[in-house]
Amino acid sequence: MMTRLLALVMTFLLMGPALAQDTAPDRSATGGAQTLEDIMARQAGLAVNDAERRANVGDPDSAAGIAEQFGVLGGVSDPELWRGVRYDSADITVSAGGPVAETLVQSTGMTWFAFREGPLATYGGWLLLGTIGALILFYVARGRILVDGGMTGRFVVRFQFIERFSHWLLAGSFILLGLTGLAILFGRKVIAPTFGPEANAMLLKWAMYVHNNVAWAFILALVMIFLLWVWHNIPNRLDLIWFVQAGGIIGKNHPPAKKFNAGQKIIFWSCILLGSSIAASGVALLFPFEVNLFAKTFALLNATGLPELVGYGPLPEVLAPQTEMQLAQAWHAIVAFVLMAIIIAHIYIGSVGMEGASGAMTHGEVDEAWAHQHHSIWLDEVKAKQQNEAPAE
């Protein structure tokens, strides 16, 4: 599912400057005018090669060949002028509005809208529902992961207050961002038919306000958890043992681990890497004319030769502000869907899926039996530290 979703995104990225037919029909006699086949292909959502029309926008620096014609426009005829407007290559000067106002026809708008309403909503929605369904089936088949031999009643501090604060700031802001983002994406399809368009408009107004402002708390929390936990999440050889034994979830083996095991490290780096990508594209959406995220990214990718190597290049390096926003929104939503699916699994393990895990992030303490079963090396380190501190006290 994710492979197809990424393929659709790459197709979307390339719809602007170089669309994908191998050979273009000969339209030289008509100046590159579109044919009935072009129109029907676009209506069917197929790619159309318009490279000939893009190149046939006249030469404003030379009037050769048409200087003696009636209604002369210098070096550009009317059809060429409108093709220049269509492909955003005409020299247009506006008195107000900045660069965005100079783009009179923005051709990727409908492509973005079709992607947003179609593959993005469809595959993203099924990804979340599929994750929830898989967790329900896993719970039915495996049940709750219990502590072997029961709890001891002796507790050890797992997370300090600042760690719990950072975790809940990140979790709370991400849940608000996820819910408001889903409302913005699915509001017209779900909320409006059920509660009416007025209720949908009011909800989305507040959803956008919450989304745009809570984002800063999410970014702050990302920085905090990175600084607090990055040294505990560097991969080591114990992670291989954890994967071989499936983390103790399947069977009765409970691999040794330090403060964070391999599964928790995956959650941590998913939050840091995917969360940072979501934050970067979100900032680009908040400041679309100041942050040109994708044009610069495409230029760096083209310099590596990777897009051409995989058959998707070269990528466009000059993008209209509207195209920047459309690409940022598409990427923002795709990565958010992936991270939401990961966090849903994390919430399951930390609550109903595992006995004794929730205390770590509620009051900061866990039972010694739970700690020995899931983080035995960390528990030994904590006890050794306590024994060393006791004589000094």
Side-chain angles (χ1 to χ4, degrees):
M1 180 180 293
M2 287 307 305
T3 302
R4 183 170 181 186
L5 190 58
L6 291 173
L8 287 168
V9 175
M10 293 305 299
T11 302
F12 167 66
L13 298 181
L14 299 174
M15 286 296 286
L19 297 172
Q21 285 182 355
D22 292 334
T23 58
D26 183 11
R27 306 185 184 90
S28 55
T30 63
Q34 63 181 336
T35 64
L36 177 60
E37 288 78 6
D38 292 341
I39 298 172
M40 295 178 67
R42 280 203 310 276
Q43 290 176 345
L46 302 177
V48 176
N49 190 320
D50 59 359
E52 189 173 0
R53 293 197 294 278
R54 285 179 177 275
N56 205 340
V57 293
D59 181 7
D61 298 325
S62 173
I66 63 171
E68 303 301 324
Q69 297 180 18
F70 293 104
V72 65
L73 294 175
V76 183
S77 65
D78 280 335
E80 290 169 337
L81 175 63
W82 288 113
R83 280 195 291 271
V85 171
R86 166 69 174 78
Y87 296 115
D88 203 21
S89 62
D91 185 11
I92 296 173
T93 303
V94 295
S95 58
V100 65
E102 296 176 359
T103 300
L104 303 183
V105 179
Q106 204 269 321
S107 59
T108 58
M110 290 308 299
T111 305
W112 164 80
F113 181 76
F115 173 79
R116 181 181 183 274
E117 296 296 304
L120 177 62
T122 301
Y123 293 113
W126 280 115
L127 175 62
L128 298 186
L129 292 176
T131 301
I132 295 172
L135 291 173
I136 292 174
L137 291 176
F138 181 81
Y139 182 82
V140 172
R142 174 63 169 80
R144 197 178 195 197
I145 301 172
L146 302 177
V147 174
D148 297 340
M151 301 294 189
T152 64
R154 299 186 303 272
F155 292 91
V156 59
V157 176
R158 175 99 171 116
F159 294 114
Q160 302 293 335
F161 172 78
I162 186 62
E163 295 176 291
R164 301 198 307 275
F165 174 80
S166 302
H167 170 272
W168 287 115
L169 181 63
L170 184 70
S173 59
F174 184 72
I175 290 172
L176 282 175
L177 291 170
L179 292 176
T180 52
L182 290 174
I184 293 170
L185 179 60
F186 292 103
R188 186 178 297 179
K189 295 181 178 180
V190 178
I191 301 172
T194 305
F195 301 101
E198 293 81 7
N200 180 52
M202 181 61 68
L203 175 63
L204 296 192
K205 173 185 175 182
W206 285 102
M208 183 177 67
Y209 179 81
V210 171
H211 200 89
N212 292 347
N213 288 278
V214 171
W216 302 111
F218 176 75
I219 294 173
L220 174 62
L222 272 180
V223 175
M224 293 177 69
I225 68 163
F226 178 80
L227 295 177
L228 287 169
W229 292 337
V230 63
W231 302 114
H232 298 290
N233 283 277
I234 296 175
N236 56 51
R237 61 182 181 82
L238 293 174
D239 300 330
L240 298 176
I241 301 174
W242 191 93
F243 284 120
V244 169
Q245 298 182 6
I249 294 178
I250 301 174
K252 294 296 183 180
N253 292 324
H254 299 292
K258 294 187 177 182
K259 185 165 185 173
F260 293 106
N261 60 40
Q264 291 166 328
K265 290 178 182 179
I266 292 175
I267 299 295
F268 173 82
W269 288 112
S270 295
C271 289
I272 295 300
L273 299 178
L274 300 183
S276 297
S277 183
I278 293 170
S281 55
V283 170
L285 287 170
L286 290 174
F287 304 99
F289 309 126
E290 289 80 15
V291 181
N292 297 320
L293 182 64
F294 283 87
K296 295 177 180 178
T297 302
F298 292 166
L300 291 174
L301 289 174
N302 287 338
T304 66
L306 182 61
E308 293 187 1
L309 183 65
V310 298
Y312 282 109
L315 298 172
E317 299 181 13
V318 178
L319 299 172
Q322 297 94 331
T323 307
E324 280 279 354
M325 291 185 67
Q326 290 156 5
L327 293 174
Q329 190 278 333
W331 182 257
H332 188 77
I334 290 169
V335 180
F337 270 123
V338 175
L339 187 55
M340 279 190 283
I342 294 172
I343 295 303
I344 288 172
H346 173 61
I347 292 172
Y348 165 79
I349 291 295
S351 56
V352 298
M354 180 180 291
E355 181 186 15
S358 60
M361 278 302 171
T362 52
H363 51 77
E365 295 180 331
V366 293
D367 193 273
E368 285 190 4
W370 182 92
H372 177 73
Q373 181 167 309
H374 299 286
H375 300 274
S376 58
I377 298 178
W378 169 78
L379 178 62
D380 292 340
E381 292 174 348
V382 170
K383 286 187 172 182
K385 183 178 180 181
Q386 291 174 345
Q387 291 174 356
N388 293 333
E389 292 175 350
E393 293 177 358

